[in-house]
């Protein structure tokens, strides 16, 4: 048994991070100060995108992304006038207006194509904006499958929302082409993939809006936190407003509230921690990749499970290292997982198909074969920057030992 419990993922905090947090505590502002602005600018530069708006979570950022879509579709002229961009529609939405259905005044419903294999926040934030998720099936790497999605399009489908499962970017070029062909906006939920890339482009940056998470188990952390990024100044403008009460500041005490907003702001402490963590992101990703490649070799040709292979065009953040169990062992997965945890190997399942949750039962979604098979087979094992190859070998040996035991039962 491992001496200490090894979680499937965790944060890495060093003395520089500690000093950065202390520095922020002695700053003149604990919120709405210079570090947040610097962090947003640094994220935009790192991702090579025009605009970044930080939030207290990726969930808040997702809410805002879907709110932007909802307002542009259902309240086109009033929303553009409200935000001061009435004359900029063509600059804002460069997509062709197919039969004007996307932005018709009598448009009453909205649906978005998405994946069922994600954390439930992805689609919960659609529901919160009165948007109906339409689930497509997945590839066995966990990402949304473009093949067959065309048949799921409805008259009220206005966007597609992909998820970069485990830190592996979707084929951004193919998704961009699909969205453009069908006059859809594209939201990339890249919560797992901050720092990853596809064909040299940072994950999430070819979408109309990209979403990232800075939760403790992600590539870098701000404790809790997230970001919305876009090339579109108008989207960033709306995001900034909704993030902070919908208020426009004019002079010292003269300001206006022009839309319903919230306090979704990231504080200065989190922003300063994020700036410190960003200086080490390449070392974090390198270590995760080292552990993942060790597993790839160590588990090669084992009879109990296989691991999804990354496409050569993808640089993954390795947020997760998923095992997909052989069909003979899927019925024993819960017992295997429990025994691994008892042996200090932190495992988790990512994810139960969202349409199986009670909240989604009234929609009567169809069962999706790949999503079901993936869920029943998937088990995420430890892979993070705090591990050494020595620890990874002990984890791997424990995993193989437990699997061998249950294969004989």
């Amino acid at each position: 048994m491992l001496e200490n419990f090894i979680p499937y993922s965790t944060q890495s905090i060093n003395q520089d991070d500690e000093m950065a947090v202390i520095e922020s505590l002695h700053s003149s502002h604990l919120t709405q100060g210079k570090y947040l602005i610097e962090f947003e600018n640094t994220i935009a530069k790192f991702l090579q995108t025009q605009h970044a708006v930080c939030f207290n979570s990726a969930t808040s950022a997702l809410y805002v992304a879907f709110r932007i879509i909802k307002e542009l579709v259902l309240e086109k002229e009033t929303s553009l006038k409200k935000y001061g961009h009435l004359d900029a529609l063509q600059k804002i939405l460069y997509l062709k207006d197919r039969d004007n259905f996307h932005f018709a005044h009598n448009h009453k419903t909205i649906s978005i194509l998405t994946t069922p294999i994600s954390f439930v926040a992805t689609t919960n934030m659609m529901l919160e904006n009165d948007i109906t998720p339409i689930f497509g099936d997945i590839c066995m790497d966990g990402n949304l499958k473009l093949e067959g999605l065309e048949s799921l399009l409805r008259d009220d489908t206005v966007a597609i929302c992909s998820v970069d499962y485990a830190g592996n970017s979707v084929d951004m070029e193919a998704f961009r082409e699909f969205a453009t062909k069908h006059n859809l906006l594209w939201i990339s939920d890249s919560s797992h993939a901050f720092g990853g890339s596809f064909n040299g482009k940072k994950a999430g940056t070819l979408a109309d809006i990209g979403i990232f998470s800075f939760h403790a188990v992600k590539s870098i952390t701000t404790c809790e936190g997230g970001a919305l990024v876009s090339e579109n100044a108008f989207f960033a403008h709306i995001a900034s407003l909704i993030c902070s009460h919908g208020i426009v500041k004019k002079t010292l005490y003269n300001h206006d509230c022009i839309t319903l907003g919230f306090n979704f702001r990231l504080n200065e402490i989190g922003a300063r921690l994020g700036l410190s963590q960003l200086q080490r992101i390449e070392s974090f990703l390198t270590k995760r990749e080292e552990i993942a490649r060790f597993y790839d070799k160590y588990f090669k040709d084992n009879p109990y499970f296989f691991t999804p292979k990354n496409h050569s065009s993808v640089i993954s953040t390795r947020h997760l290292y998923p095992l997909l169990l052989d069909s003979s062992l899927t019925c024993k997965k819960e017992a295997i997982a429990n025994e691994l945890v008892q042996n200090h190997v932190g495992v988790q399942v990512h994810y139960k198909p969202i349409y199986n949750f009670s909240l989604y039962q009234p929609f009567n979604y169809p069962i999706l074969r790949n999503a079901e098979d993936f869920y029943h087979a998937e088990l995420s094992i430890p892979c993070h920057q705090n591990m050494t190859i020595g620890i990874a070998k002990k984890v791997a040996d424990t995993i193989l030992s437990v699997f061998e035991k249950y294969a004989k039962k």
Side-chain angles (χ1 to χ4, degrees):
M1 181 187 295
L2 286 152
E3 184 177 349
N4 298 309
F5 184 82
I6 310 298
Y8 80 88
S9 189
T10 189
Q11 70 277 3
S12 173
I13 302 295
N14 69 5
Q15 190 172 23
D16 288 342
D17 297 328
E18 294 171 5
M19 295 304 296
V21 168
I22 291 171
E23 180 184 19
S24 70
L25 288 170
H26 290 285
S27 127
S28 61
H29 292 70
L30 293 182
T31 184
Q32 297 176 276
K34 64 180 181 181
Y35 293 128
L36 177 58
I37 295 171
E38 184 181 353
F39 188 42
E40 290 177 334
N41 290 338
T42 305
I43 289 170
K45 183 178 180 180
F46 174 76
L47 296 175
Q48 296 183 310
T49 192
Q50 288 295 312
H51 308 282
V53 181
C54 284
F55 290 82
N56 56 11
S57 70
T59 302
S60 298
L62 281 164
Y63 169 85
V64 171
F66 299 133
R67 165 88 171 269
I68 289 170
I69 292 175
K70 175 183 176 182
E71 291 200 6
L72 288 176
V73 173
L74 299 185
E75 308 167 21
K76 178 186 69 175
E77 290 189 6
T78 56
S79 66
L80 292 173
K81 184 177 181 180
K82 173 172 64 177
Y83 294 117
H85 287 255
L86 185 58
D87 61 346
L89 179 59
Q90 293 306 317
K91 294 179 182 178
I92 295 156
L93 299 172
Y94 53 85
L95 305 171
K96 293 180 181 178
D97 188 355
R98 185 180 68 192
D99 298 328
N100 205 34
F101 88 87
H102 282 180
F103 312 108
H105 290 298
N106 60 356
H107 209 64
K108 300 298 183 184
T109 60
I110 306 175
S111 66
I112 293 179
L113 296 172
T114 193
T115 171
I117 299 298
S118 180
F119 186 57
V120 73
T122 304
T123 51
N124 276 2
M125 293 304 96
M126 294 183 197
L127 297 185
E128 185 61 25
N129 280 287
D130 300 316
I131 296 172
T132 302
I134 304 298
F135 292 112
D137 212 348
I138 64 164
C139 302
M140 292 309 286
D141 63 359
N143 279 339
L144 182 61
K145 187 178 182 181
L146 277 177
E147 182 184 353
L149 274 187
E150 197 166 357
S151 65
L152 300 178
L153 288 167
R154 307 189 330 190
D155 285 346
D156 65 354
T157 304
V158 298
I160 183 170
C161 178
S162 59
V163 171
D164 293 334
Y165 178 83
N168 299 322
S169 173
V170 297
D171 183 333
M172 292 202 294
E173 293 163 5
F175 271 79
R176 179 73 275 161
E177 182 180 347
F178 181 88
T180 301
K181 176 182 177 182
H182 297 290
N183 300 320
L184 304 174
L185 292 171
W186 172 25
I187 309 300
S188 179
D189 183 350
S190 298
S191 293
H192 292 187
F194 184 77
S197 65
F198 178 85
N199 276 346
K201 294 282 188 180
K202 293 296 187 184
T205 58
L206 288 187
D208 296 288
I209 294 174
I211 303 295
F212 298 95
S213 172
F214 305 131
H215 181 273
V217 298
K218 300 302 196 304
S219 306
I220 64 168
T221 187
T222 57
C223 295
E224 293 275 7
L228 179 154
V229 305
S230 182
E231 292 296 300
N232 190 305
F234 183 58
F235 291 166
H237 173 61
I238 301 177
S240 296
L241 283 168
I242 298 173
C243 180
S244 190
H245 304 288
I247 288 176
V248 175
K249 293 184 178 180
K250 297 182 178 180
T251 59
L252 178 63
Y253 57 85
N254 179 21
H255 56 271
D256 193 10
C257 181
I258 66 171
T259 190
L260 178 64
F262 303 87
N263 183 353
F264 284 160
R265 297 187 300 258
L266 179 66
N267 61 48
E268 290 289 280
I269 302 167
R272 186 65 187 89
L273 175 58
L275 284 165
S276 179
Q277 290 262 302
L278 258 176
Q279 295 180 39
R280 291 192 290 147
I281 187 169
E282 297 303 334
S283 67
F284 290 166
L285 298 183
T286 297
K287 174 56 73 173
R288 285 175 177 260
E289 182 65 22
E290 180 186 9
I291 300 300
R293 292 195 177 208
F294 167 79
Y295 284 151
D296 287 346
K297 292 179 181 178
Y298 207 75
F299 291 143
K300 187 178 180 181
D301 299 326
N302 84 84
Y304 314 120
F305 52 80
F306 69 93
T307 59
K309 299 296 184 267
N310 294 341
H311 194 277
S312 59
S313 59
V314 172
I315 295 178
S316 174
T317 62
R318 299 290 190 170
H319 168 60
L320 303 175
Y321 190 93
L323 309 181
L324 296 180
L325 278 60
D326 184 81
S327 59
S328 64
L329 290 168
T330 54
C331 61
K332 303 174 184 179
K333 187 173 80 169
E334 185 172 358
I336 291 170
N338 286 336
E339 184 149 343
L340 286 171
V341 171
Q342 290 170 11
N343 282 275
H344 291 175
V345 177
V347 294
Q348 189 52 268
V349 174
H350 298 95
Y351 295 94
K352 181 178 181 178
I354 293 172
Y355 55 72
N356 283 330
F357 290 116
S358 297
L359 178 63
Y360 291 81
Q361 293 308 298
F363 292 93
N364 294 314
Y365 285 112
I367 299 298
L368 299 174
R369 188 71 274 147
N370 285 359
E372 293 293 320
D373 289 347
F374 192 89
Y375 165 60
H376 290 297
E378 199 275 342
L379 197 64
S380 301
I381 67 171
C383 183
H384 53 79
Q385 59 268 28
N386 289 348
M387 296 175 67
T388 63
I389 294 298
I391 291 173
K393 185 178 184 303
K394 290 180 181 180
V395 168
D397 286 338
T398 303
I399 288 170
L400 290 175
S401 175
V402 170
F403 270 90
E404 180 181 16
K405 171 183 173 181
Y406 280 89
K408 292 177 179 178
K409 285 190 175 182

